[in-house]
Amino acid sequence: MQKSERLVALDAVRFVAMFLMIQGHTLDALVAPTELDVTKFPWSVWNFLRGLTAPVFLLASGIIHVFATKRDSHGRLPRQLVWRRIRWALTLLGIGYLMMFPAQRLWHLNYVPAEQWTAFFRVHILQLLGVTLLAVLALFLLTRTHRQLALAGAIVGLLIVLAAPAAAWVDWYRVLPEPLAAYMSTDRGSLFPVIPFSAYLFLGLPLGAWLLQLPSGTRLWALQRIVPLAGLGLTAASVALAPCFQGLLPPHANPFHANPGFILLRFGLALVFVGAIAWLYGWTRNWANLYTLAGRYALFVFVGHLVVLYGTPWFDSFARWYPKTLSLAEGIGILAVVLALLGVGIAAAELLRRWWRKPSLLWAGVGSVLGYILLAP
């Protein structure tokens, strides 16, 4: 089997992770707590699995990043690729902050209250991805081989994991400006602080480097067998390790953010998840085009479902109209609407990609519309 098929298997992992993310956001935002009580079975299991979605997506992104990055004969990255990666990371950051923009017009910013600035600075997955990918790019630039990259990624990832207990004791908003402190603390509503979530992407780098050096015909086999077995072993070890760190944490700390044992537990379960989806891919190769599209439009899917579900600073949508007030059946119905709209959007974007050869004009148009929205009286 060819190398591209290995990448399609990893795209299948991201496809399933994105579906779980969309249904999790939708049901959590719309369904009344009386019908979706996360303290009771089966919703307690559903809520736990929601916590695995980001680690799985970040892990798969780290692996894919290794496959997608080609070095020259001297082990360096082509300059064009470096600038493209920088632009991509900055785009993720820009979209993440734009979606939380605290005013409808730039000239309204002088009247924005402090609590809206706090909401603006909160770190969501796009900001985390942007910052982490810049750091990953730095590792690529500092190394010359995938072996060196794997070692560097493992060291950085493990240092983040081991630093988690100490980071939980720091009042980051006292030592850093709010925009930076939001990357380190959940105290003011950030959902994806660098510690621990960046670790999952960094730890994907050695796994990607290992898979890349395998013969192309054995990579799917490794994803289906070795990766989940390693995940099960790490999960078992993490369960025993977690109590050793619990006494080091402050009373208010989220153990899944601050306890290295629980952080590695999520990583181990993410490896098991990757292995399970690799098996699913083996049975559903006729869906390969769907998985490839999902990988190509991962950013579109993420941003699109948030826009359709929550709206933007300029218009409202389902989650603002019906916040935690609907029945489970109604929530599932809106989930179907969100998925259908995303499918139509992906189909339209793919047609544009194939038939319109001037993407710069499209970006110019998007920029013009955004400029008008922000600057109009």
Side-chain angles (χ1 to χ4, degrees):
M1 302 177 72
Q2 300 302 311
K3 183 186 297 185
S4 60
E5 291 183 271
R6 303 292 76 73
L7 294 172
V8 174
L10 294 171
D11 280 333
V13 173
R14 291 203 294 185
F15 172 83
V16 175
M18 284 189 290
F19 171 78
L20 293 176
M21 171 187 64
I22 293 168
Q23 64 84 27
H25 284 164
T26 304
L27 297 183
D28 179 67
L30 299 174
V31 178
T34 52
E35 292 204 37
L36 202 161
D37 186 349
V38 297
T39 66
K40 298 178 181 178
F41 181 83
W43 296 111
S44 56
V45 176
W46 173 84
N47 192 52
F48 178 77
L49 292 176
R50 283 192 67 201
L52 291 179
T53 303
V56 168
F57 186 84
L58 292 166
L59 170 62
S61 297
I63 299 171
I64 291 171
H65 218 64
V66 177
F67 277 83
T69 304
K70 309 300 181 185
R71 300 178 185 267
D72 63 21
S73 58
H74 301 289
R76 298 183 177 89
L77 300 189
R79 182 173 299 180
Q80 185 178 10
L81 176 60
V82 172
W83 285 113
R84 189 162 66 245
R85 291 288 167 82
I86 292 173
R87 287 196 302 270
W88 179 244
L90 294 179
T91 298
L92 293 174
L93 281 167
I95 294 175
Y97 283 117
L98 182 64
M99 292 187 66
M100 301 302 297
F101 199 68
Q104 292 188 330
R105 302 289 187 269
L106 288 177
W107 53 274
H108 291 166
L109 292 178
N110 287 336
Y111 310 101
V112 172
E115 60 270 19
Q116 283 185 253
W117 281 115
T118 294
F120 172 69
F121 290 129
R122 287 171 186 160
V123 173
H124 299 271
I125 190 68
L126 290 178
Q127 291 95 319
L128 173 81
L129 271 171
V131 167
T132 306
L133 289 179
L134 288 174
V136 167
L137 177 62
L139 289 189
F140 271 99
L141 294 173
L142 291 171
T143 58
R144 291 292 177 265
T145 66
H146 287 307
R147 184 186 182 92
Q148 294 173 354
L149 176 72
L151 179 60
I155 290 173
V156 173
L158 289 175
L159 285 176
I160 292 174
V161 172
L162 294 174
W169 284 96
V170 178
D171 184 353
W172 291 103
Y173 285 94
R174 294 190 64 180
V175 299
L176 291 175
E178 184 172 8
L180 298 180
Y183 282 90
M184 302 299 297
S185 172
T186 60
D187 288 348
R188 298 188 185 179
S190 289
L191 297 177
F192 294 96
V194 168
I195 298 174
F197 286 99
S198 290
Y200 299 117
L201 201 150
F202 281 110
L203 292 175
L205 299 179
L207 185 54
W210 171 68
L211 288 169
L212 188 62
Q213 59 85 37
L214 293 176
S216 60
T218 64
R219 290 182 188 136
L220 183 60
W221 179 88
L223 278 174
Q224 292 174 332
R225 292 171 174 80
I226 297 178
V227 169
L229 285 176
L232 288 173
L234 181 58
T235 299
S238 300
V239 170
L241 186 65
C244 302
F245 288 97
Q246 196 60 34
L248 302 177
L249 309 183
H252 66 276
N254 181 338
F256 286 100
H257 289 183
N259 188 319
F262 283 114
I263 296 170
L264 291 175
L265 172 67
R266 276 184 168 176
F267 181 66
L269 292 174
L271 292 174
V272 174
F273 186 98
V274 168
I277 302 306
W279 278 103
L280 176 66
Y281 168 72
W283 299 327
T284 59
R285 287 197 181 97
N286 55 320
W287 292 10
N289 290 336
L290 177 62
Y291 298 144
T292 301
L293 277 178
R296 181 179 299 143
Y297 294 104
L299 176 62
F300 174 88
V301 170
F302 185 85
V303 174
H305 96 274
L306 292 179
V307 169
V308 173
L309 180 59
Y310 296 100
T312 71
W314 301 279
F315 62 85
D316 294 337
S317 193
F318 298 110
R320 296 179 186 173
W321 296 332
Y322 314 108
K324 294 184 180 294
T325 58
L326 301 182
S327 68
L328 179 59
E330 290 170 330
I332 292 174
I334 291 181
L335 171 61
V337 172
V338 172
L339 292 173
L341 290 174
L342 289 174
V344 171
I346 289 174
E350 183 66 6
L351 284 175
L352 279 174
R353 186 186 72 85
R354 292 185 179 186
W355 301 108
W356 198 22
R357 301 301 182 182
K358 296 182 178 180
S360 58
L361 291 178
L362 178 61
W363 282 109
V366 171
S368 298
V369 171
L370 180 60
Y372 174 79
I373 289 174
L374 292 173
L375 298 173

